[in-house]
Amino acid sequence: MPAIDGPNRRDIVKKYIIAGLLTWLPLAITVWVLLWLLGLMDSMFGAVLSLTQAVLPESTRTGLDELRHIPGFGVGVMVALLLLTGVFATNMAGQWWVRKWDALMHRIPIFKSIYSSVKQVSDTLFSSSGNAFREAVLVPYPHAQSWTIAFVTGKPSAEVAAHLDEEHVSLYVPTTPNPTSGFFLMMPRSQIRPLRMSVDEALKHIISMGVVAPKGATPSAAPGAKPHP
């Protein structure tokens, strides 16, 4: 068996370490995200429990405080609360109360601006009838000689569109590897190139910094766009 010199041995060890890192990294990040979500839900349960203790008689506070130490109890309560809230908000009586709640929130100074903005964004993103993040496109950004993946979020408002010479679309350009931050752009529709890849495939492509390529996707040029070399 031939001897392995020092530089080659270091390269082999480095290769094995990288292979081990790539094996464990997805699992570690998945566990970290799940633990973060569980911690967030436990914190929400703790806040609700503290509020409940503040309005109930002191004799009941000791028993409620013991619920904090039951593993997973807070997560189960929050999931059940979200489920019951969803069931309530989707029937006719619940929708009436939701409308009244929204009207009340829109009357509170300062608070109404934040609440209305967050509600509009969340309704657009999570509504089954919304158009946000339903299409991945290729756009020239940050200059005409470079391209990046963006998501169509809609069209500019009537006031903004009145100042534009041609039809524009609203785009969200995510950053990598964290797609939760990014840039909001309005670009002419003639400059964007539709992609056949799904939104999920495009997000994976962005998060992986281009390492994970969409399977079975072929480039598709927009009408009037220059063909790919």
Side-chain angles (χ1 to χ4, degrees), residues 66-175:
E66 293 179 355
L67 298 178
R68 299 177 186 269
H69 306 292
I70 301 178
F73 185 78
V75 175
V77 170
M78 294 307 301
V79 170
L81 180 61
L82 291 175
L83 179 61
L84 292 175
T85 303
V87 172
F88 175 75
T90 51
N91 59 53
M92 294 184 62
Q95 291 177 359
W96 183 84
W97 281 105
V98 169
R99 288 194 296 269
K100 293 296 183 182
W101 173 262
D102 287 340
L104 175 63
M105 294 295 102
H106 282 82
R107 293 193 183 99
I108 303 176
I110 301 177
F111 187 84
K112 65 180 181 181
S113 300
I114 303 174
Y115 179 83
S116 60
S117 300
V118 174
K119 181 171 177 56
Q120 289 177 0
V121 172
S122 61
D123 288 347
T124 302
L125 292 179
F126 297 108
S127 175
S128 58
S129 60
N131 295 320
F133 295 95
R134 296 306 173 92
E135 182 184 4
V137 295
L138 201 62
V139 298
Y141 182 83
H143 53 79
Q145 283 72 42
S146 65
W147 295 82
T148 189
I149 296 175
F151 300 102
V152 177
T153 59
K155 296 182 179 180
S157 63
E159 181 181 1
V160 175
H163 295 276
L164 303 175
D165 296 332
E166 57 180 296
E167 183 184 5
H168 282 60
V169 293
S170 300
L171 301 170
Y172 174 70
V173 180
T175 56

Side-chain angles (χ1 to χ4, degrees), residues 23-94:
T23 301
W24 285 103
L25 189 60
L27 177 61
I29 294 178
T30 302
V31 172
W32 177 79
V33 171
L34 290 176
L35 290 176
W36 178 80
L37 290 174
L38 293 176
L40 179 62
M41 299 184 75
D42 272 334
S43 299
M44 294 173 61
F45 172 71
V48 173
L49 196 60
S50 299
L51 182 61
T52 305
Q53 288 177 318
V55 298
L56 290 179
E58 189 173 355
S59 59
T60 61
R61 296 179 183 178
T62 303
L64 289 176
D65 196 51
E66 293 179 355
L67 298 178
R68 299 177 186 269
H69 306 292
I70 301 178
F73 185 78
V75 175
V77 170
M78 294 307 301
V79 170
L81 180 61
L82 291 175
L83 179 61
L84 292 175
T85 303
V87 172
F88 175 75
T90 51
N91 59 53
M92 294 184 62

Side-chain angles (χ1 to χ4, degrees), residues 207-228:
I207 293 173
S208 67
M209 297 176 286
V211 175
V212 179
K215 297 181 179 179
T218 57
S220 174
K226 296 181 180 180
H228 291 281

